[in-house]
Amino acid sequence: MRFRGTWHFACAPAILAARVFAQEDPGAVSWGPAADSVSVHGYVSSTYQFVTGPNAGNNAYAFSGAGGKATRFALDVVSLTFEHPLNDWIADQGFKVQLWVGPDAGDLKSNSSGNNDAELAIRNAYIDLRIPFDPSELAPDKSMDLRFGVFDSPIGREESVDRSLNRHFTHSWGFTIEPTLHTGMLLTLPSQGAIEDKIDWSEPWWRLRLGVANTRDPRINAAPRNANPKTLLMNGTAALGESFGFLNGTEISAGFVYGRPLSSSDPVQNLYLGLGRALGEKWTGGLAYDARLAHGAGNDDSVFGLYLGRALSPKLDLFVRGELFEDGAKLFENESAGEQSDGLGLTVTLDYQLWENVRSRLEWRWDKTDTPVNGRHHNQTMLANLIYLF
Amino acid sequence: MNINKWTIGLAAVGVVSLSSVAQAQEDGAGGAAAAANSVQINGYISSSYRMDGGEDIGANTGYSNESARDSFSLDVIDLQIGTKKSTADWGAGFMVELWLGHQAANLATDTDGGANTEDLAVKQAYIDLNAVGGVELKLGVFDTIIGSEVHNFNNNTFFSRSWGFSIEPTTHTGLLASYKVSDTIGVNLGIANTTDAQINGTATDADNKTVLASVSVQLPDGVWPWAGDDNPASIDVGIVSGKEQASDTDRHSIWAAAGLPLPMGIDLGLSYDLRKNNGGDSSNGTAAQNLQREDDTVLGATLSYDISAGDDNGVGQLTAAIRYEYADIPEYGADNLGRTVWTSGASSSYTGDKIQSITVGLNYQLSESVLTRIEYRHDAGDGLISETQNTADSIIANVIYEF
């Protein structure tokens, strides 16, 4: 018989000994010739959401689960990444393949066949090339990076699709109206070399990204009916220096995406503006503005966000996000015409590192809309989230 | 806490947390980096050939994970990715287990609850945690805590699944706590969304949860005369009680088993499965094949004997085993795996009544990584396959490569 749990008693005739983790060899991973330079990492995310009643909860922002995670234990997603990142300052090659497995995989909407019910989706898959501007003058700040394939949209507050990287588990309204993934090409121009963890942070710093993609939508390899007009991607980010006076130490970012969705021949524009800075030793603050400009009068969405964070202890952080939003054309996922509504939202998150390699969070979110959405003016959710990072 | 400027900027506008980044940075070789270094990838590939005896019966026998008739099969590719958590307080690990291939759909874990036709399915995905007082926690999707057999082909004595397994829950989404009371007693206690495998699924009223509980006891010396230190006797009892997926129908699964060494190196395993169906209507919430609202009951006995012990790594081990079951499972025929109900005149027969099953198998460990086996299975019961087909026979050859 089988004894459940982590101990084993009799080896009963019905069950052979499990071989999970039976191998003592730590080198259980065996790859091809480039094996030693390929890293494997990822995370497992699981939550429990509490809502205030039937059909309650905030189910309209991006990747919310559309109510399918309310009042239950939920596996969100398993993320698996295989990559060889750029390392050399001057010339190098690299790649990244990131897969999502599980219930949230379909939310990426990246399936090339348009099947958004699949339990496996490609999150990123690209090749990186680092090329010197002028081979006769090699220097760390004289190279550019070219990325080909499927990659994250370069605009935004860099609130990632990966919740493991974000302050809050739930996504913001600003993120909801931003593009997420593109299939295309992206050029990155760094000022001091593109290896972020080796940048000299005492000096002002900037980065410019320019790209072109098939469409503003995330579906891999898809293009609008007329595939010739491409989608333009632009983003500039800078850390301001002493010459900017009181803005010294402030990071600013601006981004713009112009292109067609798959479903329309009319282009949509996304504009993003953001700034952030440390406020003393324990506080951080930031502002963000998102606008999505769609064809036709009254179809523009905009979101203004305020962010605060405080380190309460070496292991405990408090984060607060407030947003004001104006809904022009489907700010909310799956909204009806009668639900187009302005409103505001507040999210408070406690992040405590209780276990090694695990992010553990408690979060409360409140959204108020002028017009009922999902039948309610006020929607609240409280959730507990654990993410194991490996 | 040394945080680089870019991180502060990202942190200010919504990405990453201060402490989590600091932890990752300061740990250097620790934290996620250290966890990545200890990530292991294991799994297996299973392939088989099934030959059916007699005339083509034209239908499945109906037990779980049944392979295709008279066919070569790639059964499944199993991938397990995870880290072993440390034994220290507040240690953490994870496990992700995926099934790829034809049998993936049999897990029935697809979150959309559709026809389960995908060739990729999540079998397990959980975070493994140590809590206070020696309690171990699993949060996410995990294997059920009851039953004498499991989904994984390489962890069972026989290739074909028992009828007992066929009526048991298999996978849950929830929270499970495990505790070792002593060297001889272990307990599990958990809470899950439902009794069913669909990931993130709930009952009609999501507030209704499913309770999981089990106890494992190694019998003290002297209780069983042929038990020894290296081959103790043991008893397991477990229960899974709750609601079915997207339903208000109660379902209670009770399991009891004993592992009893016998003389001459023979091992005896006994098992009892009871699935109580307490639906509000006469059909138990499924279909009108169980008008008496009878429960599903399976009694099983397995004998095994190592003909050859093999070397220190188990290579060359040859094991013979025989499994007998008596299964009274009228409800099973209504809601499972392609078995049909047939009527004759004014009366109806319910497939699943009074099935007797015997399986005889030989397992041979060809190498450290390769397990081979061959088995013969005979099932018999009134209307087992059709109005005129009461028996089913098959011979199955199976090869498993473990890595």
Side-chain angles (χ1 to χ4, degrees):
Chain A
M1 74 220 59
R2 181 172 181 82
F3 288 83
R4 306 294 167 167
T6 58
W7 48 91
H8 302 280
F9 295 153
C11 181
I15 302 291
L16 297 178
R19 284 177 59 87
V20 175
F21 306 128
Q23 295 186 10
E24 295 300 325
D25 181 5
V29 179
S30 176
W31 305 96
D36 292 342
S37 63
V38 175
S39 66
V40 180
H41 56 93
Y43 61 86
V44 178
S45 176
S46 184
T47 55
Y48 193 98
Q49 290 190 9
F50 307 86
V51 295
T52 55
N55 300 316
N58 321 65
N59 302 322
Y61 56 88
F63 293 83
S64 66
K69 294 182 183 178
T71 319
R72 71 193 71 188
F73 295 97
L75 172 69
D76 305 313
V77 75
V78 175
S79 174
L80 295 172
T81 300
F82 308 86
E83 71 174 330
H84 172 70
L86 295 173
N87 189 43
D88 190 90
W89 288 67
I90 297 173
D92 205 351
Q93 318 85 34
F95 81 96
K96 178 177 181 179
V97 173
Q98 183 180 3
L99 308 174
W100 269 21
V101 182
D104 285 359
D107 291 344
L108 288 174
K109 299 180 183 176
S110 63
N111 184 283
S112 58
S113 302
N115 174 18
N116 295 321
D117 291 334
E119 300 271 287
L120 172 73
I122 296 174
R123 161 102 176 74
N124 280 162
Y126 56 75
I127 302 165
D128 273 337
L129 303 175
R130 175 159 295 158
I131 306 170
F133 298 142
D134 180 358
S136 65
E137 186 183 359
L138 301 179
D141 61 343
K142 302 296 185 186
S143 292
M144 61 183 179
D145 294 345
L146 280 175
R147 177 168 292 174
F148 300 90
V150 179
F151 47 82
D152 289 345
S153 185
I155 79 161
R157 55 185 45 77
E158 299 209 37
E159 176 178 328
S160 176
V161 174
D162 294 306
R163 297 189 185 95
S164 59
L165 299 178
N166 297 338
R167 295 179 146 198
H168 305 278
F169 176 80
T170 60
H171 285 292
S172 65
W173 291 112
F175 176 88
T176 300
I177 65 172
E178 293 171 359
T180 52
L181 301 178
H182 302 287
T183 305
M185 181 179 72
L186 185 69
L187 170 71
T188 300
L189 291 171
S191 66
Q192 289 181 287
I195 306 173
E196 295 177 9
D197 60 353
K198 296 181 182 177
I199 291 177
D200 184 357
W201 296 107
S202 63
E203 296 294 324
W205 173 91
W206 62 267
R207 166 177 292 165
L208 180 63
R209 283 183 158 159
L210 299 171
V212 64
N214 296 330
T215 167
R216 68 183 312 282
D217 289 344
R219 188 168 155 188
I220 294 172
N221 295 354
R225 180 176 297 181
N226 182 359
N228 288 325
K230 299 301 180 193
T231 291
L232 180 64
L233 318 171
M234 292 191 294
N235 173 258
T237 304
L240 304 180
E242 292 180 353
S243 59
F244 288 87
F246 72 94
L247 292 177
N248 179 32
T250 301
E251 230 170 62
I252 60 172
S253 181
F256 181 68
V257 172
Y258 178 92
R260 287 173 170 75
L262 292 176
S263 58
S264 172
S265 59
D266 297 316
V268 174
Q269 303 174 64
N270 273 90
L271 173 66
Y272 165 76
L273 298 170
L275 65 87
R277 64 172 293 136
L279 306 171
E281 280 196 7
K282 295 186 177 182
W283 285 94
T284 60
L287 298 172
Y289 174 75
D290 278 277
R292 181 173 64 186
L293 312 177
H295 183 74
N299 289 332
D300 299 340
D301 306 306
S302 63
V303 181
F304 177 78
L306 170 67
Y307 296 78
L308 291 173
R310 188 173 197 281
L312 299 177
S313 76
K315 288 191 172 184
L316 179 63
D317 295 316
L318 172 68
F319 301 113
V320 179
R321 173 180 68 204
E323 293 185 290
L324 294 172
F325 48 86
E326 293 185 355
D327 179 14
K330 296 190 180 301
L331 171 65
F332 316 126
E333 292 195 348
N334 303 314
E335 71 177 24
S336 65
E339 289 177 323
Q340 291 184 3
S341 172
D342 300 343
L344 57 91
L346 180 65
T347 306
V348 180
T349 304
L350 278 174
D351 189 325
Y352 184 72
Q353 189 154 17
L354 181 59
W355 285 281
E356 184 182 358
N357 305 320
V358 177
R359 289 197 70 180
S360 44
R361 300 185 271 205
L362 280 177
E363 183 164 306
W364 171 77
R365 178 181 178 129
W366 168 68
D367 291 294
K368 173 190 173 296
T369 51
D370 297 342
T371 301
V373 175
N374 296 327
R376 294 172 180 261
H377 283 284
H378 301 269
N379 280 285
Q380 293 186 64
T381 299
M382 176 167 286
L383 62 87
N385 168 241
L386 291 182
I387 300 180
Y388 184 92
L389 300 123
F390 60 93
Chain B
M1 195 184 329
N2 179 26
I3 300 177
N4 67 57
K5 204 170 187 180
W6 175 247
T7 305
I8 289 177
L10 290 173
V13 291
V15 186
V16 304
S17 74
L18 296 173
S19 63
S20 64
V21 171
Q23 190 74 25
Q25 290 179 338
E26 292 175 354
D27 283 350
N37 290 335
S38 62
V39 171
Q40 293 189 349
I41 299 179
N42 298 87
Y44 65 89
I45 302 172
S46 175
S47 184
S48 63
Y49 183 84
R50 170 177 163 178
M51 178 173 66
D52 288 288
E55 63 183 82
D56 182 9
I57 59 178
N60 289 331
T61 311
Y63 54 83
S64 290
N65 297 35
E66 188 172 1
S67 58
R69 303 184 303 275
D70 287 313
S71 300
F72 290 98
S73 293
L74 169 66
D75 305 311
V76 74
I77 301 164
D78 177 83
L79 285 178
Q80 298 167 19
I81 304 170
T83 60
K84 292 180 75 172
K85 66 179 188 295
S86 71
T87 55
D89 289 345
W90 309 111
F94 81 98
M95 158 68 106
V96 173
E97 186 173 13
L98 307 175
W99 267 24
L100 297 95
H102 169 67
Q103 291 261 3
N106 290 335
L107 294 178
T109 56
D110 188 284
T111 51
D112 296 311
N116 287 302
T117 56
E118 300 288 339
D119 276 350
L120 173 96
V122 175
K123 183 177 178 295
Q124 296 188 97
Y126 60 80
I127 302 170
D128 207 0
L129 306 166
N130 288 340
V132 293
V135 175
E136 299 174 40
L137 301 174
K138 286 182 182 176
L139 174 67
V141 180
F142 47 84
D143 289 342
T144 193
I145 60 171
I146 69 171
S148 300
E149 291 184 350
V150 294
H151 264 308
N152 275 337
F153 290 83
N154 63 330
N155 289 147
N156 296 323
T157 298
F158 298 98
F159 175 83
S160 61
R161 296 295 178 287
S162 63
W163 289 110
F165 176 85
S166 300
I167 67 169
E168 292 166 355
T170 55
T171 308
H172 303 286
T173 305
L175 175 66
L176 179 69
S178 303
Y179 181 66
K180 193 173 182 180
V181 176
S182 69
D183 288 341
T184 58
I185 300 175
V187 298
N188 291 299
L189 185 63
I191 183 169
N193 295 330
T194 72
T195 60
D196 290 320
Q198 182 177 325
I199 294 174
N200 299 352
T202 67
T204 302
D205 181 353
D207 287 328
N208 291 325
K209 297 291 185 253
T210 291
V211 175
L212 324 172
S214 72
V215 177
S216 303
V217 178
Q218 181 176 312
L219 298 181
D221 293 339
V223 171
W224 183 256
W226 299 288
D229 290 340
D230 58 347
N231 196 12
S234 58
I235 292 176
D236 285 62
V237 178
I239 182 171
V240 173
S241 176
K243 302 283 188 182
E244 294 180 354
Q245 155 73 21
S247 167
D248 284 325
T249 302
D250 291 337
R251 173 155 289 174
H252 314 289
S253 294
I254 298 168
W255 167 73
L260 304 171
L262 297 178
M264 299 193 304
I266 298 173
D267 288 315
L268 170 65
L270 301 173
S271 64
Y272 169 74
D273 280 280
L274 170 65
R275 185 169 73 176
K276 295 186 68 61
N277 304 295
N278 299 322
D281 57 18
S282 61
S283 67
N284 291 331
T286 55
Q289 280 84 36
N290 190 1
L291 297 178
Q292 285 73 41
R293 281 190 262 184
E294 296 173 355
D295 301 325
D296 299 325
T297 305
V298 179
L299 295 168
T302 303
L303 290 170
S304 69
Y305 175 70
D306 285 343
I307 299 171
S308 165
D311 64 15
D312 291 342
N313 296 317
V315 178
Q317 181 178 10
L318 177 65
T319 303
I322 182 168
R323 174 181 66 200
Y324 170 80
E325 288 187 294
Y326 174 79
D328 185 2
I329 48 175
E331 166 71 8
Y332 183 83
D335 63 0
N336 247 72
L337 299 183
R339 300 175 66 228
T340 58
V341 174
W342 53 272
T343 60
S344 175
S347 65
S348 296
S349 290
Y350 311 111
T351 56
D353 287 6
K354 317 294 188 289
I355 297 173
Q356 296 194 61
S357 174
I358 186 165
T359 309
V360 181
L362 279 175
N363 294 334
Y364 183 69
Q365 193 73 38
L366 187 64
S367 71
E368 280 190 52
S369 299
V370 178
L371 171 66
T372 59
R373 52 190 172 191
I374 187 165
E375 68 188 45
Y376 164 76
R377 178 175 178 137
H378 173 80
D379 295 275
D382 288 342
L384 178 69
I385 305 296
S386 68
E387 185 172 356
T388 58
Q389 185 79 35
N390 298 322
T391 62
D393 296 87
S394 59
I395 296 174
I396 305 170
N398 171 228
V399 180
I400 296 176
Y401 184 95
E402 295 172 290
F403 56 88

